[in-house]
PDB file of all heavy atoms in Angstrom:
ATOM      1  N   PRO A 231     -16.252  11.786   6.083  1.00 91.00           N
ATOM      2  CA  PRO A 231     -14.964  12.456   6.322  1.00 91.00           C
ATOM      3  C   PRO A 231     -13.817  11.896   5.497  1.00 91.00           C
ATOM      4  O   PRO A 231     -12.810  12.575   5.289  1.00 91.00           O
ATOM      5  CB  PRO A 231     -14.719  12.237   7.819  1.00 91.00           C
ATOM      6  CG  PRO A 231     -16.062  11.936   8.396  1.00 91.00           C
ATOM      7  CD  PRO A 231     -16.806  11.220   7.311  1.00 91.00           C
ATOM      8  N   ARG A 232     -13.969  10.669   5.017  1.00 91.00           N
ATOM      9  CA  ARG A 232     -12.917  10.094   4.177  1.00 91.00           C
ATOM     10  C   ARG A 232     -12.892  10.748   2.802  1.00 91.00           C
ATOM     11  O   ARG A 232     -11.883  10.715   2.107  1.00 91.00           O
ATOM     12  CB  ARG A 232     -13.132   8.582   4.044  1.00 91.00           C
ATOM     13  CG  ARG A 232     -12.911   7.813   5.344  1.00 91.00           C
ATOM     14  CD  ARG A 232     -13.381   6.386   5.242  1.00 91.00           C
ATOM     15  NE  ARG A 232     -14.824   6.308   5.002  1.00 91.00           N
ATOM     16  CZ  ARG A 232     -15.517   5.190   4.938  1.00 91.00           C
ATOM     17  NH1 ARG A 232     -14.903   4.028   5.093  1.00 91.00           N
ATOM     18  NH2 ARG A 232     -16.813   5.210   4.723  1.00 91.00           N
ATOM     19  N   ILE A 233     -14.017  11.332   2.398  1.00 94.00           N
ATOM     20  CA  ILE A 233     -14.084  12.031   1.113  1.00 94.00           C
ATOM     21  C   ILE A 233     -13.753  13.507   1.292  1.00 94.00           C
ATOM     22  O   ILE A 233     -12.985  14.090   0.520  1.00 94.00           O
ATOM     23  CB  ILE A 233     -15.486  11.866   0.483  1.00 94.00           C
ATOM     24  CG1 ILE A 233     -15.771  10.391   0.182  1.00 94.00           C
ATOM     25  CG2 ILE A 233     -15.596  12.706  -0.797  1.00 94.00           C
ATOM     26  CD1 ILE A 233     -17.166  10.134  -0.343  1.00 94.00           C
ATOM     27  N   ALA A 234     -14.351  14.128   2.299  1.00 94.00           N
ATOM     28  CA  ALA A 234     -14.132  15.553   2.578  1.00 94.00           C
ATOM     29  C   ALA A 234     -13.625  15.689   4.014  1.00 94.00           C
ATOM     30  O   ALA A 234     -14.415  15.609   4.957  1.00 94.00           O
ATOM     31  CB  ALA A 234     -15.423  16.344   2.382  1.00 94.00           C
ATOM     32  N   PRO A 235     -12.327  15.872   4.216  1.00 93.00           N
ATOM     33  CA  PRO A 235     -11.754  15.896   5.567  1.00 93.00           C
ATOM     34  C   PRO A 235     -12.349  16.967   6.481  1.00 93.00           C
ATOM     35  O   PRO A 235     -12.263  16.836   7.712  1.00 93.00           O
ATOM     36  CB  PRO A 235     -10.267  16.169   5.297  1.00 93.00           C
ATOM     37  CG  PRO A 235     -10.030  15.675   3.911  1.00 93.00           C
ATOM     38  CD  PRO A 235     -11.295  15.956   3.165  1.00 93.00           C
ATOM     39  N   LYS A 236     -12.940  18.024   5.912  1.00 95.00           N
ATOM     40  CA  LYS A 236     -13.512  19.080   6.740  1.00 95.00           C
ATOM     41  C   LYS A 236     -14.977  18.809   7.114  1.00 95.00           C
ATOM     42  O   LYS A 236     -15.645  19.692   7.652  1.00 95.00           O
ATOM     43  CB  LYS A 236     -13.393  20.432   6.037  1.00 95.00           C
ATOM     44  CG  LYS A 236     -11.960  20.929   5.930  1.00 95.00           C
ATOM     45  CD  LYS A 236     -11.887  22.345   5.361  1.00 95.00           C
ATOM     46  CE  LYS A 236     -10.449  22.834   5.299  1.00 95.00           C
ATOM     47  NZ  LYS A 236     -10.364  24.207   4.743  1.00 95.00           N
ATOM     48  N   ALA A 237     -15.461  17.612   6.846  1.00 94.00           N
ATOM     49  CA  ALA A 237     -16.820  17.250   7.253  1.00 94.00           C
ATOM     50  C   ALA A 237     -16.946  17.382   8.767  1.00 94.00           C
ATOM     51  O   ALA A 237     -16.020  17.043   9.509  1.00 94.00           O
ATOM     52  CB  ALA A 237     -17.146  15.826   6.819  1.00 94.00           C
ATOM     53  N   SER A 238     -18.087  17.849   9.224  1.00 94.00           N
ATOM     54  CA  SER A 238     -18.264  18.081  10.657  1.00 94.00           C
ATOM     55  C   SER A 238     -19.400  17.227  11.213  1.00 94.00           C
ATOM     56  O   SER A 238     -20.364  16.915  10.495  1.00 94.00           O
ATOM     57  CB  SER A 238     -18.558  19.562  10.922  1.00 94.00           C
ATOM     58  OG  SER A 238     -19.670  19.995  10.167  1.00 94.00           O
ATOM     59  N   PRO A 239     -19.319  16.856  12.497  1.00 93.00           N
ATOM     60  CA  PRO A 239     -20.379  16.036  13.094  1.00 93.00           C
ATOM     61  C   PRO A 239     -21.665  16.824  13.276  1.00 93.00           C
ATOM     62  O   PRO A 239     -21.643  18.041  13.462  1.00 93.00           O
ATOM     63  CB  PRO A 239     -19.790  15.618  14.444  1.00 93.00           C
ATOM     64  CG  PRO A 239     -18.775  16.671  14.752  1.00 93.00           C
ATOM     65  CD  PRO A 239     -18.225  17.132  13.449  1.00 93.00           C
ATOM     66  N   ILE A 240     -22.780  16.107  13.216  1.00 94.00           N
ATOM     67  CA  ILE A 240     -24.102  16.711  13.392  1.00 94.00           C
ATOM     68  C   ILE A 240     -24.644  16.256  14.741  1.00 94.00           C
ATOM     69  O   ILE A 240     -24.773  15.053  14.990  1.00 94.00           O
ATOM     70  CB  ILE A 240     -25.058  16.285  12.264  1.00 94.00           C
ATOM     71  CG1 ILE A 240     -24.478  16.660  10.893  1.00 94.00           C
ATOM     72  CG2 ILE A 240     -26.434  16.923  12.443  1.00 94.00           C
ATOM     73  CD1 ILE A 240     -25.233  16.056   9.722  1.00 94.00           C
ATOM     74  N   ALA A 241     -24.973  17.186  15.612  1.00 94.00           N
ATOM     75  CA  ALA A 241     -25.429  16.825  16.964  1.00 94.00           C
ATOM     76  C   ALA A 241     -26.855  16.299  16.965  1.00 94.00           C
ATOM     77  O   ALA A 241     -27.190  15.392  17.734  1.00 94.00           O
ATOM     78  CB  ALA A 241     -25.320  18.033  17.888  1.00 94.00           C
ATOM     79  N   GLU A 242     -27.699  16.841  16.090  1.00 95.00           N
ATOM     80  CA  GLU A 242     -29.126  16.514  16.136  1.00 95.00           C
ATOM     81  C   GLU A 242     -29.737  16.713  14.753  1.00 95.00           C
ATOM     82  O   GLU A 242     -29.495  17.719  14.097  1.00 95.00           O
ATOM     83  CB  GLU A 242     -29.811  17.436  17.151  1.00 95.00           C
ATOM     84  CG  GLU A 242     -31.291  17.199  17.344  1.00 95.00           C
ATOM     85  CD  GLU A 242     -31.907  18.208  18.305  1.00 95.00           C
ATOM     86  OE1 GLU A 242     -31.891  19.422  17.987  1.00 95.00           O
ATOM     87  OE2 GLU A 242     -32.408  17.792  19.348  1.00 95.00           O
ATOM     88  N   ILE A 243     -30.504  15.735  14.313  1.00 93.00           N
ATOM     89  CA  ILE A 243     -31.230  15.872  13.049  1.00 93.00           C
ATOM     90  C   ILE A 243     -32.637  15.309  13.211  1.00 93.00           C
ATOM     91  O   ILE A 243     -32.929  14.562  14.151  1.00 93.00           O
ATOM     92  CB  ILE A 243     -30.520  15.174  11.868  1.00 93.00           C
ATOM     93  CG1 ILE A 243     -30.406  13.661  12.109  1.00 93.00           C
ATOM     94  CG2 ILE A 243     -29.160  15.777  11.626  1.00 93.00           C
ATOM     95  CD1 ILE A 243     -29.832  12.925  10.918  1.00 93.00           C
ATOM     96  N   SER A 244     -33.485  15.651  12.275  1.00 92.00           N
ATOM     97  CA  SER A 244     -34.871  15.175  12.322  1.00 92.00           C
ATOM     98  C   SER A 244     -34.994  13.804  11.680  1.00 92.00           C
ATOM     99  O   SER A 244     -34.122  13.354  10.926  1.00 92.00           O
ATOM    100  CB  SER A 244     -35.783  16.159  11.594  1.00 92.00           C
ATOM    101  OG  SER A 244     -35.523  16.128  10.201  1.00 92.00           O
ATOM    102  N   PHE A 245     -36.113  13.138  11.952  1.00 90.00           N
ATOM    103  CA  PHE A 245     -36.396  11.854  11.315  1.00 90.00           C
ATOM    104  C   PHE A 245     -36.381  11.989   9.798  1.00 90.00           C
ATOM    105  O   PHE A 245     -35.838  11.135   9.091  1.00 90.00           O
ATOM    106  CB  PHE A 245     -37.775  11.327  11.750  1.00 90.00           C
ATOM    107  CG  PHE A 245     -37.792  10.721  13.123  1.00 90.00           C
ATOM    108  CD1 PHE A 245     -38.818  11.006  14.011  1.00 90.00           C
ATOM    109  CD2 PHE A 245     -36.799   9.851  13.532  1.00 90.00           C
ATOM    110  CE1 PHE A 245     -38.857  10.442  15.272  1.00 90.00           C
ATOM    111  CE2 PHE A 245     -36.824   9.276  14.799  1.00 90.00           C
ATOM    112  CZ  PHE A 245     -37.860   9.578  15.676  1.00 90.00           C
ATOM    113  N   ASN A 246     -37.000  13.054   9.268  1.00 88.00           N
ATOM    114  CA  ASN A 246     -37.066  13.230   7.819  1.00 88.00           C
ATOM    115  C   ASN A 246     -35.682  13.347   7.204  1.00 88.00           C
ATOM    116  O   ASN A 246     -35.384  12.719   6.179  1.00 88.00           O
ATOM    117  CB  ASN A 246     -37.895  14.476   7.469  1.00 88.00           C
ATOM    118  CG  ASN A 246     -39.374  14.261   7.686  1.00 88.00           C
ATOM    119  OD1 ASN A 246     -39.873  13.146   7.566  1.00 88.00           O
ATOM    120  ND2 ASN A 246     -40.097  15.321   8.006  1.00 88.00           N
TER     121      ASN A 246
END
Side-chain angles (χ1 to χ4, degrees):
R232 292 169 297 184
I233 297 176
K236 291 186 178 180
S238 55
I240 303 170
E242 182 183 63
I243 62 175
S244 69
F245 282 136
N246 287 330

